[in-house]
Amino acid sequence: MSSPPLPDVPRPEYPRPQFAREAWLNLNGRWQFEIDRSDSGLERGLGERALADVITVPFCPESALSGIGETDFMEAVWYRRTVAVPGEWAGSRVLLHFGAVDHDTTVWVNGTEVARHRGGFTPFTADLHGVAEPGSEAVIVVRARDTRHGPQARGKQATWYANSHCHYTRTTGIWQTVWLEPVPLATRLKRPRITPDLASGSFHLELPVTANLPGHRVRAVLGDERGEAVRAESRADLDLCPRLVLTLPEDRVRPWSPGDPHLYDLRLELLDARGTVVDEARSYAGLRAVALHGRRVLLNGEPVFQRLVLDQGYYPDGLMTAPSDEALERDVRLGLAAGFNGARLHQKVFEERYLYHADRLGYLVWGEFGDWGCEVGARDDNQRPDASYAAEWLEALERDYSHPSVIGWCPLNETYQHLHDRITQLDDVTRAMFLATKAMDTTRPVIDASGYAHRIAETDVYDSHCYEQDPEVFAGLMAGLAEGRPHTNTAPDGRPWSVPYRGQPYFCSEFGGIWWDPSAAGTAAGDEPDSSWGYGQRPRTAEEFVSRFTGLVDVLLDDPDMFGYCYTQLTDVFQERNGVYGFDRAQKVDTGLLRDVQRRTAACESRS
């Protein structure tokens, strides 16, 4: 698919919509760039000289939009850019933000190392105070290492040369927005945590600051379309993290839901001892509640059947980076148009602006980590995620905690390993990530691992993946849930991967995946030069696709013990042709038909 011309600054929108300051400088655009095949660049002086090529940030060098388009392995890549720090920021501390860089990153500014970060999905920040002041120049040098060897949270990035099956072209280096931001020198607001409390019509705010200075206060002002609804203040010189409660008047309480995704405006302020605002940020909040009751997941006290779609967030020209903010919003709208009310954000921590659009449009989201990449061990101890998994997942939770569209967390996906009498590294890391999620967020359910190796007996949610294509056989596989014997994923020889089911809310979190490629309809399987694939026999007509889709969906909608499902998938991705839409987001079938199938009342919604 051809792309429109890039603007002077690609991806110009503010990248952190739930904690936004007025002054900032977008550093997307042309950077010097050089591939460092053997990761010897530091010794060869790449940090001190001009680089050989030019790249368009924030697009990774494997992508077409970067202007590089190199899809071979790159052990390391280097970036360099000289930036004039605005003089009008005088008296401020300057922060350098990276939305995401894959995978191990070191940043130097004016020859001084200012940041190191491991993890390809989460943001990090460098403080440039004393290194690059307002009115001066900042020479920014970035090295990103991205080896294909050893355990690493990669998601769906292939560790062999070509993309194939369900592994895709890699992303190396910078792939989200880079920007500068001035903040107060002495103390400033840090990112808040916003916790909705629907039962009391309140929001609980945690407003951390970088220093607790005498006489300082924090203030929050919550508003809606009628103007200011409530405000609250607290001292910021006593507790390390000041806290506020914003309780709405009864006539201003308006719950957030898919049918009414109402958002309140939120202004956050830090005041000095004289009452002068020294730091300010804009945010927003949605008032909603998630609860568990028996086998149901409740939203605002009511069962809302989760008609989810698997979304992998890949684009033909940008790979893991959306070509535009409009493309992120379009993907949410495409899901809604096909009758889905939410998505599993699969094997990737999505750009935060995707969550902003989900918040605005009332799209339910399960946040997931891109954990694939730890298959490095021996038989029966084959998966060995390391400590960086838990560290990066905590960064993702911190970033996304306050988004109302996020209704559940999934740290791991399709981990598989036989249960035996030894505690393995996978057991340790699964428990660590589960407990870390529960400690970070007490308001949302957590599934320890989607699909395969449930290794935490007390997991909030239990699930399985099932790609059986015959609706009648599929119904038989799902039927055991009523007797407490749900479908579970096991090894090919039948040995268990998971601890026993204990009556938790259950859903089939991957199903369907119907192989549907209209351009190849009627040809023999395997005739396509790009080796497209999907699950089951490829339908011969669109009508046959809709019939199979309907039969599979009906099985789950009609099950009163099923709280939702997740259909694979929203779009094709490269050779994987099992999307509702093409890789170019073109409609492959009349999505109105799919919407009609899904939008009827589910059994769990009608049960008293």
Side-chain angles (χ1 to χ4, degrees), residues 232-518:
E233 286 191 25
S234 175
R235 291 179 64 171
D237 57 359
L238 288 176
D239 297 299
L240 184 64
C241 178
R243 289 170 169 82
L244 297 173
V245 178
L246 293 163
T247 301
L248 288 155
E250 286 188 15
D251 65 341
R252 307 288 280 274
V253 173
R254 185 174 167 186
W256 182 98
S257 69
D260 183 19
H262 178 259
L263 298 173
Y264 294 91
D265 297 320
L266 182 60
R267 187 171 78 249
L268 308 171
E269 297 173 334
L270 177 63
L271 298 83
D272 64 16
R274 298 184 300 276
T276 302
V277 175
V278 295
D279 194 16
E280 181 177 1
R282 292 175 289 106
S283 187
Y284 64 85
L287 186 63
R288 61 102 183 91
V290 182
L292 307 180
H293 180 230
R295 290 179 180 159
R296 294 185 295 175
V297 177
L298 307 182
L299 182 67
N300 302 336
E302 299 294 333
V304 175
F305 193 84
Q306 296 183 24
R307 299 160 174 85
L308 308 179
V309 66
L310 198 77
D311 189 345
Q312 305 202 68
Y314 272 77
Y315 301 86
D317 47 5
L319 299 179
M320 288 204 301
T321 310
S324 66
D325 190 54
E326 292 76 17
L328 290 172
E329 178 180 352
R330 177 182 59 182
D331 282 358
V332 175
R333 292 190 181 278
L334 288 175
L336 292 168
F340 301 101
N341 61 7
R344 264 186 73 199
L345 305 185
H346 188 53
Q347 279 301 296
K348 175 187 170 186
V349 178
F350 276 47
E351 299 176 58
E352 190 177 357
R353 286 197 67 89
Y354 178 99
L355 296 180
Y356 165 66
H357 296 303
D359 294 339
R360 293 191 307 108
L361 298 172
Y363 202 54
L364 305 176
V365 165
W366 279 78
E368 186 175 306
F369 188 50
D371 67 293
W372 282 15
C374 60
E375 184 78 14
V376 297
R379 181 173 177 266
D380 291 350
D381 191 12
N382 49 296
Q383 292 186 309
R384 297 180 179 178
D386 60 20
S388 70
Y389 276 58
E392 189 177 1
W393 178 238
L394 283 167
E395 291 177 332
L397 293 169
E398 184 67 35
R399 193 198 76 173
D400 296 341
Y401 175 90
S402 300
H403 286 282
S405 59
V406 178
I407 59 165
W409 300 113
C410 179
L412 300 167
N413 171 76
E414 289 190 351
T415 46
Y416 62 95
Q417 192 168 281
H418 299 309
L419 288 173
H420 45 64
D421 65 350
R422 288 181 297 107
I423 295 174
T424 67
Q425 190 164 321
L426 176 62
D427 292 307
D428 287 336
V429 174
T430 302
R431 176 157 289 278
M433 295 181 78
F434 177 80
L435 293 177
T437 311
K438 297 297 292 184
M440 176 73 82
D441 187 353
T442 60
T443 71
R444 295 177 175 95
V446 180
I447 184 169
D448 58 341
S450 180
Y452 288 4
H454 293 294
R455 307 179 90 82
I456 307 299
E458 65 271 28
T459 183
D460 293 324
V461 171
Y462 205 99
D463 73 342
S464 72
H465 298 170
C466 182
Y467 285 106
E468 171 58 49
Q469 296 293 297
D470 185 320
E472 186 174 346
V473 177
F474 184 62
L477 292 171
M478 294 293 124
L481 180 57
E483 287 77 41
R485 297 178 290 98
H487 177 266
T488 58
N489 297 108
T490 61
D493 62 6
R495 283 191 289 171
W497 285 335
S498 298
V499 296
Y501 175 64
R502 293 192 172 189
Q504 298 100 323
Y506 176 96
F507 73 135
C508 185
S509 61
E510 285 187 31
F511 79 108
I514 302 170
W515 183 8
W516 173 233
D517 186 352

Side-chain angles (χ1 to χ4, degrees), residues 530-544:
D530 57 356
S531 300
S532 76
W533 72 277
Y535 292 96
Q537 291 294 318
R538 187 174 52 206
R540 291 162 295 182
T541 64
E543 291 75 17
E544 187 178 331

Side-chain angles (χ1 to χ4, degrees), residues 124-146:
F124 63 96
T125 296
D127 187 339
L128 304 190
H129 185 54
V131 177
E133 301 296 338
S136 70
E137 284 194 338
V139 180
I140 304 169
V141 175
V142 178
R143 179 190 62 195
R145 288 167 158 152
D146 193 23

Side-chain angles (χ1 to χ4, degrees), residues 42-109:
L42 189 65
E43 293 87 346
R44 293 187 291 111
L46 264 63
E48 288 81 41
R49 66 164 173 80
L51 302 177
D53 213 331
V54 174
I55 192 170
T56 298
V57 169
F59 303 108
C60 71
E62 291 89 346
S63 71
L65 288 177
S66 70
I68 303 294
E70 173 58 79
T71 58
D72 205 347
F73 296 106
M74 294 173 270
E75 283 290 307
V77 293
W78 290 75
Y79 298 80
R80 183 183 184 93
R81 180 171 175 178
T82 299
V83 177
V85 183
E88 57 266 31
W89 293 356
S92 299
R93 182 184 302 269
V94 178
L95 303 181
L96 172 61
H97 299 290
F98 293 85
V101 185
D102 199 341
H103 183 266
D104 290 355
T105 310
T106 307
V107 182
W108 297 266
V109 174

